[in-house]
Amino acid sequence: MEKSEYLELYRQMVVIRLVEEQSAQLYQQGKIGGFLHLYIGQEAVSTGLISLRQPQDRVITAYRDHGVAINCGISAREVLAELMGKATGSSKGKGGSMHLADVTKNFWGGHAIVGAHLPIAAGLALGDQYQKNDGITICMFGDGATNIGYFHEALNLSKVWTLPVLWVCENNQYGMGTSVERASAVPEMRLKADGYGIPNSRADGMDIMAVREATKEAIESVRGGKGPYFLEIITYRFRGHSMGDPERYRQSDEVKKWQENDPIGIYRRYLVEHKIIPENELNTIDEKSEKEVLEAVQLAEADPEPAADELFEHVYVEG
Amino acid sequence: MEKSEYLELYRQMVVIRLVEEQSAQLYQQGKIGGFLHLYIGQEAVSTGLISLRQPQDRVITAYRDHGVAINCGISAREVLAELMGKATGSSKGKGGSMHLADVTKNFWGGHAIVGAHLPIAAGLALGDQYQKNDGITICMFGDGATNIGYFHEALNLSKVWTLPVLWVCENNQYGMGTSVERASAVPEMRLKADGYGIPNSRADGMDIMAVREATKEAIESVRGGKGPYFLEIITYRFRGHSMGDPERYRQSDEVKKWQENDPIGIYRRYLVEHKIIPENELNTIDEKSEKEVLEAVQLAEADPEPAADELFEHVYVEG
Amino acid sequence: MARITMREAISQALWEEMERDQSVFILGEEVGVWGGTYAVTKGFYDHFGPDRVRDTPIAEAAIVGAAIGAALTGLRPVAELMTINFAFSAMEHIVNEAAKLHYMFGGQFILPLVIRAVGGGGRQLGATHSQTPDAVFAHFPGLKVVAPGTPEDAKGLLKAAIRCDDPVLFIEHATLYQVRADVPDGDYTVPIGESKIQRPGRDVTIVTYSKMLEISTKAADQLAKDGVEAEIIDLRTLRPLDMGPVIQSFKKTNRAVIVEEGWRSYGVGSEVAARIYEQAFDYIDAPIQRVAQKEVPLPYNRTLEQLALPQVEDVVKAVKEVL
Amino acid sequence: MARITMREAISQALWEEMERDQSVFILGEEVGVWGGTYAVTKGFYDHFGPDRVRDTPIAEAAIVGAAIGAALTGLRPVAELMTINFAFSAMEHIVNEAAKLHYMFGGQFILPLVIRAVGGGGRQLGATHSQTPDAVFAHFPGLKVVAPGTPEDAKGLLKAAIRCDDPVLFIEHATLYQVRADVPDGDYTVPIGESKIQRPGRDVTIVTYSKMLEISTKAADQLAKDGVEAEIIDLRTLRPLDMGPVIQSFKKTNRAVIVEEGWRSYGVGSEVAARIYEQAFDYIDAPIQRVAQKEVPLPYNRTLEQLALPQVEDVVKAVKEVL
Ligand SMILES: Cc1ncc(C[n+]2csc(CCOP(=O)(O)OP(=O)(O)O)c2C)c(N)n1
Ligand SMILES: Cc1ncc(C[n+]2csc(CCOP(=O)(O)OP(=O)(O)O)c2C)c(N)n1
Ligand SMILES: [Mg+2]
Ligand SMILES: [Mg+2]
């Protein structure tokens, strides 16, 4: 990997972290409404995963989508603008935090109903298969999503039709306040893939290098025409499920323990220890990114609200 | 097993076969409406299975329910009356062929939406667990039903809550015209149970003795408090999916091959060869059963239709 | 002009659109090898092959969900739900995904999707298999809901639906497949969102659609014998709902009866009645009558089932009420 | 009399019924350890334990399906759907199973089931999470649909629902939980299927329910300043729908405005309007007005969202239309 690539991965993780911290503040200030699900702690997952996708590969995820959006190339400003419901947001302020998307960047959203986007992901893959495109679909979802019927119907169909889809389960240990063992029949999500005869593997989501290694193999399998592949990535969300989560369901020292494995810190140490990038260059990135994100916040805040007649736009294409 | 028990199993299979043949005729005569799904070829499955349930055990199945109903103790006359929409039918003529039930016999129906009764079965088992009854719930469904989301949600929940439910998949090779390999990610339905960590086994559904053996083990596991168990029983429907099935999806010699393994014939030979019951006694049962079923047809045909004001009965219990 | 059945009309529309446009394909339960549970796609599998006529597992959410995804990639899927009763098993994807995605993401992509589903009662299929929940789906903005009552409209509306860039729920009726009528030759479409006068008359306006068009026509024939000329408006599309011809007719007759097969409460008739009162208040001579299904889960027994469903006599009686 | 919030009223009803009857238990997502996403069941898990306050996987069909099964064994489950938007993921089990089983099997068992679900918009949750699809569920015979607008009614109706032997969908509103009002002391129930005059008046009848009761009351306050006395009828139950008080009021005022939060087409207002015209035709002085949500998927942006939702001014304007 080129040095520039290493740097870019670091930069993206830092930007995601900063955008999420800014979002939390804007939410407290009442400038962001609705539900806000932060990606803090999980940055290495989507950053590592999406760094390996080709432009023709489609990405689709759940409502915890800010990081994914940034990895897919949506600017911090567009993300923040959408969170604040501005006309310049990636969904024109109509979707909000849970519904970021930019199909020109092959990012298909941002979906708020747990598991409902999995059948849609199967359809995206079907579309590419039908049109003989060599793109694959990368579909991300949480551990909790593996318990709903949509997951089952989508995985079964993907195997029966040998669809080019990579199922990526971000196992952050909890679905809201319910731990995996209280909601799932099996402790490892990848075991569910065995029930469909779908090849699968598991990776440490706090170590971006491990994520990339597992992803490489997974993508090769799917692009090689072997049909679906299931990748479980172990991670942890450092913040509550969404803003205002009382967090009665976990102990603060459990959170602390995980925070010691901060994916950004781990990657930073890796880069320095392996002499890939000197500390000061990383510091420069930190500073530049901070400046950049604060600018994005200001610009997004100054951006215009959608016009009133936007209310009736896009209900239908025709008529 | 007592000789009388052997005889009773034989009698039930013969009665089911006769009732189904009569139903087919009544359907052709226009005396039965709607959809009619015959159980011919699968008699050994429910007969063997249900012969081992205790009175406190609940049984629930799909729309292919005539055989199950008879095994649960509903008389041929009540079954036929329901098929003809008579007031004397087990559901007062309101349910029809797909909705037979008699809860006084712990038979909870007869459900027409594929897979939708699995979560309900989990609930029946939950009810017994909650009330500390030692009854278990036996839930039967087809191979095709294993592909719908309800199956997934029910199996996962049953494992997470260690519910006393026996999942019985009647794999008759087809869901309507779609063969197992064209609809299911895995060739053996029992493999899906592995995805939930649910113990499972597989039995030959044309051999009632094999069905009973597998069932014994399965029921012991569930009643023993070990939670759900998944039993796959391989069988075949000799007739179309329902009346009027063009059967373009299978070759007649495939059907012939299976018909040579007629579950009644196999059991008959078994009883004779093992000198458990002499041929002539079996012939007597055949004759008696035929007389009995023909009588049931006549009685059911003569039975009254529900009164017009029944239309508004039972929409609600109150008000 | 060719005289064909509703089944043939729908089958022809699908066939011709698939011949015309490679991006059109069919997916659903038993649409392929079986040829369609109602034989609508008979012969398609052999002609178009397994890639374009796709048998699916029994998984309604996946059928509609996969169709949505495929539509997002630029294809024009026609998803078949074996019956509309199974649409409840795909409810999330029909009303919460298909109906909302275009709007919710700021119109950055289109969703050219058709969901075919056959509904209706009268065949003793019991409560879970005999519903006409059309109003339920028509309640959701973002979805278009079409329910033709004649072979000509069925063919033209289905072609329009397949060419439409919005998601369309196309509702057929199981007891109409055998109905025969003239259909224009060659390629034509019938615009979505336009009601139509199916039978002119001056004395009373009967507003209906789908199967009830047949019932209403029979009622009109009976009424004609008594010299009553009923004008029948076929809604054809439930969303967007075109009240134009209804109001025009009502301003002439000042009397209306709305006939639907589904349940009365929160049904189609209530919406149409409410709009007539709103848009033609000064023209009302008598309270508008609604003919609908009795409010019970449809029973299996034939006599009871027919008691619950709207009959020709019910329509005649309702018309006499408003005269 | 105690002055408590809607949240407390609902919480008390659940608590008291669980204390009273061992067969009552709760299941749903985050009802236990979390204490309920809207804190309605806070403290229940510690007091009643994990068997009676059951956290479930994210599997709405299994939640409602399991509740149905448990009810068949003689228990009285209260299933909580985190929001009514997720009821679409349990649609089959709500409208096709719970609503039909008692009838379809000839009444041989009862189904004492309560499904609690919170609905409504106004919190910028976006199109998939902000719906008020009450009319959709009220369309199905066999199901009872309740949607209280005051703490007193919420507590009494929920207790009635839990004691009722029929399946009841109990719809709460997320922006009403903080509303405070007096509630009778001790044990009481409010009968399901009875509308109620919440505010007497002589000039115009406003028919509404749930959140819109609050909006309508504010509108009535404004109108009072102009000397217009609006009578507000709270439907409270959508099925069975009690038109008694509505018709009585209308025969007095001869004018009506129906206010609902959901979409106008095929909504609650259309049914109520149609019935008023049918039952009080000779008393109508002006076309009945319907105030409802604009027919768009609810947008995230706050300004647009508020534009789409019925506002006090909309009600005032509608009333002035009919006067
Ligand atoms: C069908 C459905 N049910 C419930 C919810 C409410 N809900 C939103 S997120 C969530 C938890 C999902 O957990 P998981 O899949 O592990 O994703 P994570 O939040 O951990 O990233 C729930 C229950 C929903 N949005 N959709
Ligand atoms: C949700 C749903 N989708 C489709 C149908 C139509 N349908 C009825 S039976 C059936 C096939 C079921 O096959 P299987 O589960 O193997 O049972 P079998 O008929 O073989 O006994 C289908 C697709 C239905 N009843 N419910
Ligand atoms: Mg999680
Ligand atoms: Mg089968």
Side-chain angles (χ1 to χ4, degrees):
Chain A
M1 192 159 68
E2 297 292 309
K3 180 184 171 187
S4 60
E5 292 179 70
Y6 281 105
L7 273 174
E8 176 56 16
L9 293 182
Y10 181 75
R11 193 193 65 77
Q12 285 184 22
M13 286 168 74
V14 169
V15 168
I16 292 173
R17 178 69 56 94
L18 289 163
V19 165
E20 294 300 56
E21 283 164 347
Q22 287 300 315
S23 305
Q25 284 187 32
L26 291 164
Y27 192 88
Q28 255 109 23
Q29 297 163 16
K31 291 173 181 166
I32 294 174
F35 292 146
L36 184 71
H37 308 85
L38 302 179
Y39 202 59
I40 294 176
Q42 304 181 214
E43 294 92 343
V45 180
S46 64
T47 305
L49 186 68
I50 293 169
S51 66
L52 288 159
R53 73 132 174 193
Q54 298 297 316
Q56 71 272 26
D57 298 336
R58 307 173 192 270
V59 176
I60 183 168
T61 187
Y63 45 84
R64 200 176 296 283
D65 59 354
H66 310 164
V68 184
I70 286 165
N71 296 129
C72 287
I74 304 185
S75 71
R77 176 193 183 162
E78 279 174 292
V79 169
L80 289 158
E82 187 60 38
L83 267 53
M84 290 188 274
K86 301 304 182 79
T88 52
S90 54
S91 297
K92 300 202 170 136
K94 283 180 161 178
S97 160
M98 302 195 289
H99 303 112
L100 301 171
D102 184 344
V103 303
T104 66
K105 301 189 165 63
N106 240 337
F107 176 47
W108 294 86
H111 296 268
I113 300 295
V114 169
H117 65 293
L118 275 71
I120 295 174
L124 292 172
L126 170 62
D128 284 325
Q129 182 189 60
Y130 185 98
Q131 294 164 84
K132 307 202 167 25
N133 307 331
D134 84 327
I136 71 167
T137 294
I138 299 172
C139 177
M140 302 167 71
F141 49 89
D143 46 283
T146 65
N147 301 318
I148 197 162
Y150 307 132
F151 167 88
H152 180 68
E153 296 190 8
L155 265 73
N156 182 66
L157 192 72
S158 71
K159 177 66 176 181
V160 172
W161 286 354
T162 326
L163 298 175
V165 57
L166 172 55
W167 301 114
V168 181
C169 179
E170 288 190 86
N171 182 348
N172 63 3
Q173 329 286 326
Y174 295 89
M176 284 189 78
T178 308
S179 59
V180 163
E181 60 278 4
R182 294 180 62 228
S184 170
V186 290
E188 298 189 14
M189 300 304 102
R190 56 142 345 136
L191 295 174
K192 303 189 186 198
D194 291 335
Y196 309 96
I198 294 177
N200 55 79
S201 57
R202 210 160 189 250
D204 173 3
M206 308 315 262
D207 175 356
I208 190 168
M209 287 298 123
V211 171
R212 280 178 52 95
E213 208 179 300
T215 303
K216 259 204 211 74
E217 206 176 290
I219 288 183
E220 265 164 31
S221 167
V222 177
R223 208 183 300 282
K226 297 211 192 70
Y229 188 100
F230 188 101
L231 177 57
E232 176 178 12
I233 302 182
I234 308 306
T235 180
Y236 197 81
R237 60 169 159 72
F238 291 175
R239 303 296 181 91
H241 166 71
S242 60
M243 300 298 286
D245 173 354
E247 293 193 59
R248 285 195 203 86
Y249 51 86
R250 63 184 186 182
Q251 304 300 325
S252 56
D253 38 329
E254 174 187 304
V255 181
K256 277 204 205 63
K257 189 183 116 291
W258 277 94
Q259 281 171 332
E260 284 154 17
N261 302 329
D262 186 309
I264 299 179
I266 288 175
Y267 185 48
R268 206 176 208 279
R269 281 195 296 281
Y270 172 88
L271 293 173
V272 175
E273 280 161 16
H274 291 70
K275 307 226 174 344
I276 299 167
I277 300 167
E279 195 113 31
N280 62 329
E281 278 189 50
L282 297 172
N283 297 338
T284 327
I285 290 187
D286 293 347
E287 290 145 21
K288 272 176 88 187
S289 305
E290 176 138 24
K291 202 165 144 303
E292 190 184 302
V293 169
L294 290 174
E295 243 170 53
V297 171
Q298 288 175 343
L299 290 168
E301 280 199 67
D303 278 338
E305 300 248 330
D309 56 20
E310 261 295 311
L311 179 61
F312 297 101
E313 285 302 310
H314 306 309
V315 179
Y316 297 104
V317 179
E318 306 167 8
Chain B
M1 192 157 72
E2 296 291 311
K3 178 182 172 187
S4 61
E5 293 179 71
Y6 281 106
L7 273 174
E8 176 56 16
L9 293 181
Y10 180 78
R11 192 194 64 78
Q12 285 183 24
M13 287 168 74
V14 169
V15 169
I16 293 173
R17 178 70 55 94
L18 290 163
V19 165
E20 295 297 57
E21 283 165 348
Q22 287 300 314
S23 305
Q25 284 187 31
L26 292 164
Y27 192 88
Q28 255 108 24
Q29 297 162 15
K31 291 174 181 165
I32 294 175
F35 292 145
L36 185 70
H37 308 84
L38 301 179
Y39 202 59
I40 295 176
Q42 304 182 211
E43 294 92 343
V45 180
S46 65
T47 304
L49 186 68
I50 292 169
S51 66
L52 289 157
R53 72 131 174 193
Q54 299 296 317
Q56 72 271 26
D57 299 336
R58 307 172 192 271
V59 176
I60 183 168
T61 187
Y63 45 82
R64 199 175 297 283
D65 59 355
H66 310 164
V68 184
I70 285 165
N71 296 130
C72 286
I74 304 185
S75 71
R77 176 191 182 167
E78 278 174 292
V79 169
L80 290 159
E82 188 60 38
L83 268 53
M84 288 188 275
K86 299 304 181 82
T88 52
S90 55
S91 297
K92 299 202 169 134
K94 284 179 160 178
S97 159
M98 303 195 289
H99 303 112
L100 300 171
D102 184 342
V103 303
T104 66
K105 302 194 163 60
N106 239 338
F107 175 49
W108 295 85
H111 295 269
I113 301 296
V114 169
H117 65 292
L118 275 71
I120 295 173
L124 292 172
L126 171 62
D128 284 326
Q129 182 190 60
Y130 185 98
Q131 295 165 85
K132 309 204 169 18
N133 307 332
D134 83 327
I136 71 167
T137 294
I138 299 172
C139 177
M140 302 167 71
F141 51 88
D143 47 282
T146 65
N147 301 317
I148 197 162
Y150 307 131
F151 167 90
H152 180 67
E153 296 190 8
L155 265 74
N156 182 65
L157 192 72
S158 71
K159 177 66 176 181
V160 172
W161 286 353
T162 326
L163 298 176
V165 56
L166 172 55
W167 302 114
V168 181
C169 179
E170 289 189 84
N171 183 348
N172 63 3
Q173 328 287 328
Y174 294 91
M176 287 190 72
T178 309
S179 60
V180 163
E181 60 278 6
R182 294 179 63 229
S184 170
V186 289
E188 298 189 16
M189 301 304 102
R190 52 131 3 124
L191 295 174
K192 305 189 185 198
D194 290 336
Y196 309 95
I198 295 178
N200 56 79
S201 57
R202 212 160 188 249
D204 173 3
M206 309 314 263
D207 174 356
I208 190 167
M209 287 297 124
V211 171
R212 280 178 53 95
E213 208 177 300
T215 303
K216 259 205 211 73
E217 208 176 289
I219 288 183
E220 264 165 29
S221 167
V222 177
R223 208 181 301 282
K226 296 209 191 73
Y229 188 100
F230 188 101
L231 178 57
E232 175 179 13
I233 302 182
I234 309 306
T235 181
Y236 197 82
R237 60 169 160 71
F238 292 176
R239 303 296 181 92
H241 166 70
S242 59
M243 301 296 286
D245 173 354
E247 294 193 58
R248 283 193 204 88
Y249 51 84
R250 62 183 188 184
Q251 305 301 326
S252 57
D253 38 328
E254 173 186 305
V255 180
K256 275 205 205 64
K257 189 183 116 290
W258 278 93
Q259 281 171 333
E260 283 154 20
N261 300 328
D262 186 310
I264 298 179
I266 289 175
Y267 185 47
R268 206 177 209 279
R269 279 195 296 283
Y270 172 88
L271 292 173
V272 175
E273 280 162 16
H274 291 69
K275 309 230 178 329
I276 300 167
I277 300 168
E279 195 113 31
N280 61 329
E281 279 190 49
L282 296 172
N283 296 339
T284 328
I285 291 187
D286 293 347
E287 289 146 21
K288 270 170 94 184
S289 306
E290 175 137 25
K291 202 165 144 301
E292 192 183 301
V293 170
L294 289 174
E295 242 171 56
V297 172
Q298 288 175 342
L299 291 167
E301 280 201 67
D303 278 337
E305 300 248 332
D309 56 19
E310 261 295 311
L311 179 62
F312 298 100
E313 285 302 311
H314 306 308
V315 179
Y316 297 104
V317 178
E318 306 167 8
Chain C
M1 282 289 177
R3 194 163 173 76
I4 61 172
T5 64
M6 188 83 143
R7 175 183 285 105
E8 289 162 337
I10 294 166
S11 184
Q12 282 180 12
L14 286 169
W15 186 282
E16 290 170 19
E17 290 305 296
M18 286 180 76
E19 288 285 5
R20 189 185 58 78
D21 182 351
Q22 281 292 321
S23 69
V24 179
F25 72 98
I26 299 174
L27 71 166
E29 293 156 16
E30 308 304 331
V31 296
V33 174
W34 187 295
T37 321
Y38 295 90
V40 169
T41 53
K42 197 169 160 189
F44 281 53
Y45 187 83
D46 294 340
H47 182 76
F48 294 105
D51 288 348
R52 297 187 67 194
V53 185
R54 311 182 72 96
D55 283 320
T56 67
I58 304 166
E60 280 72 14
I63 292 168
V64 177
I68 291 170
L72 293 178
T73 72
L75 298 177
R76 296 187 168 273
V78 178
E80 175 177 318
L81 295 175
M82 195 178 284
T83 87
I84 199 164
N85 305 282
F86 313 146
F88 300 137
S89 295
M91 196 70 181
E92 163 62 25
H93 288 84
I94 298 170
V95 305
N96 228 12
E97 306 291 334
K100 293 176 171 58
L101 293 178
H102 178 66
Y103 187 92
M104 194 163 61
F105 288 103
Q108 60 180 298
F109 48 71
I110 63 170
L111 194 51
L113 164 69
V114 176
I115 302 168
R116 285 181 51 232
V118 56
R123 299 181 310 138
Q124 287 191 265
L125 300 183
T128 61
H129 275 57
S130 305
Q131 295 166 94
T132 311
D134 310 348
V136 162
F137 296 96
H139 184 57
F140 294 86
L143 193 66
K144 289 179 174 175
V145 179
V146 173
T150 69
E152 175 174 358
D153 288 342
K155 184 172 181 180
L157 279 165
L158 183 50
K159 281 173 165 261
I162 291 170
R163 298 177 193 184
C164 174
D165 285 341
D166 296 308
V168 180
L169 175 61
F170 189 87
I171 303 175
E172 302 166 17
H173 198 292
T175 66
L176 283 182
Y177 283 129
Q178 307 290 11
V179 170
R180 242 174 229 293
D182 286 338
V183 166
D185 301 323
D187 181 46
Y188 71 95
T189 62
V190 171
I192 293 170
E194 288 187 14
S195 305
K196 179 188 178 191
I197 300 177
Q198 293 282 16
R199 175 190 183 115
R202 54 152 203 267
D203 302 324
V204 58
T205 303
I206 297 178
V207 185
T208 188
Y209 72 98
S210 187
K211 171 72 173 181
M212 290 300 114
L213 172 61
E214 190 184 58
I215 298 289
S216 302
T217 307
K218 287 186 181 146
D221 291 341
Q222 273 196 34
L223 289 160
K225 297 200 190 84
D226 311 352
V228 178
E229 284 185 23
E231 181 154 273
I232 300 179
I233 313 287
D234 182 355
L235 294 172
R236 303 196 297 185
T237 299
L238 298 180
R239 181 179 282 266
L241 182 59
D242 171 25
M243 290 297 290
V246 177
I247 298 303
Q248 226 175 359
S249 172
F250 188 78
K251 286 184 174 172
K252 175 176 64 182
T253 65
N254 312 107
R255 290 163 162 69
V257 171
I258 304 152
V259 187
E260 71 192 302
E261 179 172 329
W263 294 298
R264 165 189 306 257
S265 295
Y266 309 99
V268 171
S270 48
E271 180 60 31
V272 173
R275 290 203 195 187
I276 293 175
Y277 285 115
E278 286 163 356
Q279 297 170 32
F281 187 72
D282 300 332
Y283 297 82
I284 301 169
D285 286 355
I288 294 165
Q289 294 286 319
R290 290 184 286 164
V291 176
Q293 185 173 146
K294 305 286 186 306
E295 305 226 11
V296 303
L298 214 55
Y300 164 77
N301 172 275
R302 174 142 198 84
T303 316
L304 294 183
E305 184 186 31
Q306 290 303 318
L307 275 175
L309 292 169
Q311 305 294 337
V312 174
E313 302 65 46
D314 301 320
V315 179
V316 171
K317 197 166 148 300
V319 167
K320 293 193 166 153
E321 285 282 334
V322 301
L323 288 178
Chain D
M1 283 291 175
R3 194 164 173 75
I4 62 172
T5 63
M6 188 83 141
R7 175 182 286 106
E8 290 163 338
I10 294 166
S11 185
Q12 282 181 12
L14 286 169
W15 186 282
E16 289 169 21
E17 290 305 295
M18 285 180 76
E19 288 286 5
R20 189 185 58 77
D21 182 351
Q22 282 292 321
S23 69
V24 179
F25 73 99
I26 299 174
L27 71 165
E29 292 156 18
E30 307 304 331
V31 295
V33 174
W34 186 296
T37 320
Y38 294 90
V40 169
T41 52
K42 199 170 159 187
F44 280 53
Y45 187 82
D46 294 340
H47 182 75
F48 294 105
D51 288 348
R52 297 188 66 194
V53 185
R54 311 182 72 97
D55 283 320
T56 66
I58 304 165
E60 279 72 14
I63 292 168
V64 177
I68 291 170
L72 293 179
T73 71
L75 299 177
R76 295 187 169 273
V78 179
E80 176 178 317
L81 296 174
M82 195 178 283
T83 87
I84 199 163
N85 305 281
F86 314 146
F88 299 137
S89 295
M91 196 70 181
E92 162 63 24
H93 288 84
I94 298 171
V95 306
N96 229 12
E97 305 291 334
K100 295 178 169 58
L101 293 178
H102 178 65
Y103 186 93
M104 196 164 59
F105 289 103
Q108 59 180 299
F109 48 70
I110 63 170
L111 195 50
L113 164 70
V114 176
I115 302 167
R116 285 182 51 233
V118 57
R123 298 180 312 137
Q124 286 191 262
L125 299 184
T128 61
H129 275 55
S130 306
Q131 294 166 95
T132 311
D134 310 349
V136 162
F137 297 96
H139 184 57
F140 294 86
L143 193 66
K144 289 179 175 175
V145 179
V146 174
T150 69
E152 175 173 358
D153 287 341
K155 182 172 181 180
L157 278 166
L158 184 49
K159 280 174 165 257
I162 291 171
R163 298 177 194 184
C164 174
D165 285 340
D166 295 308
V168 180
L169 176 63
F170 188 88
I171 303 175
E172 302 165 19
H173 198 292
T175 67
L176 283 182
Y177 282 129
Q178 306 291 9
V179 170
R180 244 173 227 292
D182 286 338
V183 166
D185 301 324
D187 181 45
Y188 72 95
T189 62
V190 170
I192 293 170
E194 287 188 15
S195 305
K196 180 188 178 191
I197 300 177
Q198 293 283 15
R199 174 190 183 116
R202 54 152 202 268
D203 302 324
V204 58
T205 303
I206 297 178
V207 185
T208 187
Y209 72 97
S210 188
K211 171 73 175 181
M212 290 300 113
L213 173 62
E214 191 184 54
I215 298 290
S216 302
T217 305
K218 288 186 180 145
D221 291 340
Q222 274 196 34
L223 289 161
K225 297 198 189 85
D226 312 351
V228 177
E229 285 184 20
E231 180 154 273
I232 300 179
I233 312 287
D234 181 354
L235 294 172
R236 305 195 297 186
T237 300
L238 298 180
R239 179 176 286 264
L241 182 60
D242 172 24
M243 289 297 290
V246 177
I247 298 302
Q248 226 176 355
S249 173
F250 187 79
K251 286 184 174 173
K252 177 175 60 181
T253 64
N254 312 109
R255 291 165 163 71
V257 171
I258 303 152
V259 187
E260 69 192 304
E261 180 172 327
W263 293 297
R264 166 191 306 259
S265 295
Y266 310 98
V268 172
S270 48
E271 179 61 29
V272 173
R275 290 203 196 187
I276 293 175
Y277 285 115
E278 286 164 356
Q279 297 171 31
F281 187 72
D282 301 332
Y283 296 82
I284 302 167
D285 285 356
I288 294 165
Q289 293 286 318
R290 290 185 284 164
V291 176
Q293 185 173 146
K294 305 284 186 305
E295 306 226 9
V296 304
L298 214 57
Y300 164 77
N301 172 275
R302 174 142 199 84
T303 317
L304 294 184
E305 183 185 30
Q306 290 302 318
L307 275 175
L309 292 169
Q311 304 295 336
V312 174
E313 303 65 48
D314 301 321
V315 179
V316 171
K317 198 166 147 299
V319 167
K320 294 195 167 154
E321 287 281 335
V322 301
L323 287 177

